[in-house]
Amino acid sequence: EEQLVESGGGLVQPGGSLRLSCAASGFTFSSYWMHWVRQVPGKGLMWVSRIKGDGSITTYADSVKGRFTISRDNAKNTLYLQMSSLRAEDTAVYYCVRMLDRDFWGQGTLVTVSS
Amino acid sequence: DIVMTQSPDSLAVSLGERATINCKSSQSVLSSSNNRNSLAWYQQKPGQPPKLLITWASTRESGVPDRFSGSGSGTDFTLTISSLQAEDVAVYYCTQYFNIPWTFGQGTKVEIK
């Protein structure tokens, strides 16, 4: 059974940092581009970042570029999102996604940026 | 960035009736390399992550009921639910994957009248 399980969310103060993890299982993780998509509770979806299967290519939304870093450890079947200089507007549920190519989403982890 | 605009923001349809959702992109998402539109539709039910319904504007994902269909090309797209069922109550999003950043429409909430 395929699974994507996010962790690492929580409450963080503005300007702080947080690292999200996504443990993948049930499929050949290294074969797929992986994405992070976020959603403010009750609002719409926003694509955040993606990384190629071998980790060689990464791209970001302008609003997070320079603050967020996507990475992966294919030996551990794990995707990461390192978030720094967090702002209130980064508050959202963050989904780990194998997007479009055998599309599959995790259940998400909530990040709350507040003092 | 390509801006995706959906209409309407919400609609209420009687069971068994047709529901139509429109999506307009600020620039064409038609790829010259494969002559396909890089446009997908997602369905999101409360408390759940989105579920992919359609890719390439009109290709239904495996297991998606055939009452869901997608159409359109270039900048104008439509998701049609031919006969609304109770389980179709959800928010629907279009998304383009033609350019980075991938962008979503604001969502259309479908309810039962």
Side-chain angles (χ1 to χ4, degrees):
Chain A
E1 180 191 5
E2 296 180 332
Q3 286 196 28
L4 291 170
V5 180
E6 301 96 336
S7 61
L11 176 63
V12 60
Q13 292 190 338
S17 298
L18 211 56
R19 188 177 84 156
L20 305 184
S21 299
C22 171
S25 59
F27 64 99
T28 307
F29 179 68
S30 60
S31 296
Y32 294 90
W33 286 83
M34 293 298 296
H35 303 247
W36 289 99
V37 175
R38 73 186 186 188
Q39 185 172 36
V40 175
K43 302 296 184 182
L45 299 162
M46 189 193 109
W47 177 86
V48 173
S49 182
R50 71 173 183 174
I51 185 168
K52 194 176 178 182
D54 63 1
S56 61
I57 299 173
T58 60
T59 48
Y60 300 91
D62 283 348
S63 59
V64 307
K65 201 174 297 183
R67 301 188 299 122
F68 289 13
T69 302
I70 190 171
S71 62
R72 64 194 299 161
D73 184 336
N74 287 342
K76 295 182 178 179
N77 289 337
T78 303
L79 177 72
Y80 301 101
L81 186 67
Q82 177 69 47
M83 305 185 295
S84 60
S85 302
L86 282 161
R87 307 165 180 167
E89 54 265 34
D90 296 318
T91 294
V93 174
Y94 285 74
Y95 292 103
C96 166
V97 190
R98 187 182 69 202
M99 206 160 173
L100 295 182
D101 186 3
R102 292 178 60 205
D103 198 89
F104 192 78
W105 295 57
Q107 289 300 311
T109 186
L110 176 63
V111 172
T112 302
V113 184
S114 175
S115 54
Chain B
D1 297 4
I2 297 177
V3 176
M4 308 299 289
T5 304
Q6 293 180 227
S7 61
D9 289 335
S10 65
L11 75 161
V13 176
S14 300
L15 289 172
E17 296 300 305
R18 178 186 300 261
T20 302
I21 301 168
N22 300 300
C23 174
K24 188 174 184 67
S25 57
S26 60
Q27 65 185 75
S28 176
V29 298
L30 177 62
S31 172
S32 58
S33 63
N34 62 8
N35 200 37
R36 303 180 84 175
N37 291 279
S38 301
L39 189 286
W41 288 96
Y42 282 92
Q43 173 195 64
Q44 188 176 30
K45 297 181 179 180
Q48 296 182 19
K51 174 189 173 183
L52 182 64
L53 298 177
I54 286 170
T55 60
W56 303 113
S58 61
T59 301
R60 217 170 19 248
E61 287 290 284
S62 175
V64 173
D66 61 6
R67 63 180 180 273
F68 291 91
S69 64
S71 62
S73 184
T75 62
D76 293 281
F77 302 91
T78 300
L79 175 70
T80 301
I81 310 172
S82 60
S83 175
L84 191 75
Q85 304 301 304
E87 60 265 33
D88 301 334
V89 169
V91 178
Y92 293 83
Y93 296 93
C94 60
T95 184
Q96 65 81 21
Y97 47 97
F98 181 78
N99 267 354
I100 291 293
W102 294 8
T103 48
F104 292 87
Q106 80 275 19
T108 295
K109 187 174 185 179
V110 174
E111 299 172 306
I112 304 295
K113 185 187 292 184

